[in-house]
Amino acid sequence: MNASKKTLNPAFKREYKITITQFIRQTKIDTAKELLIASNLTLLEISNLLSFSTASYFVKTFKEITGITPNHFRQHFFDEELHL
């Protein structure tokens, strides 16, 4: 893109109201949700696929963004009370 990080980050935040890092984290968690629903992959496999440094960091990030753990999400996705 021929743009420096110093130039790109503020422009991205101005346009999308979140930082590039927040966007990447949210995108990874959205993908994780799809994998949790549509596959039998373990949390470790999902965290590796999405390039999290550890499975525990994946779980922590998932919970920060969604308010629940990945296991809870997977177990209760089809419950009416889970509105994500």
Side-chain angles (χ1 to χ4, degrees), residues 2 6-11 13 15 21 29-31 33 38-39 43 50-51 54-55 66 71 73-74 76 78 81:
N2 293 330
K6 188 176 180 180
T7 303
L8 188 58
N9 279 330
K13 186 163 185 174
E15 182 69 25
T21 301
I29 296 306
D30 290 344
T31 302
K33 287 178 185 179
S39 77
L43 297 184
L50 298 176
S51 300
T54 65
T66 66
N71 279 331
F73 177 84
R74 179 177 261 166
H76 299 284
F78 295 106
E81 298 169 14

Side-chain angles (χ1 to χ4, degrees), residues 13 18 22 32-33 38 41-42 51 53 56-57 65 74 80:
K13 186 163 185 174
I18 61 173
Q22 289 169 323
K33 287 178 185 179
L41 294 172
T42 67
S51 300
S53 55
S56 61
Y57 181 62
I65 291 176
R74 179 177 261 166
E80 290 182 31

Side-chain angles (χ1 to χ4, degrees), residues 12-59:
F12 190 92
K13 186 163 185 174
R14 230 182 354 267
E15 182 69 25
Y16 297 103
K17 311 297 186 241
I18 61 173
T19 66
I20 292 171
T21 301
Q22 289 169 323
F23 174 80
I24 292 168
R25 287 178 65 200
Q26 182 62 56
T27 301
K28 285 182 175 185
I29 296 306
D30 290 344
T31 302
K33 287 178 185 179
E34 293 176 19
L35 291 169
L36 289 164
I37 295 164
S39 77
N40 290 323
L41 294 172
T42 67
L43 297 184
L44 178 60
E45 291 169 327
I46 292 172
S47 69
N48 288 337
L49 277 172
L50 298 176
S51 300
F52 282 91
S53 55
T54 65
S56 61
Y57 181 62
F58 163 62
V59 172

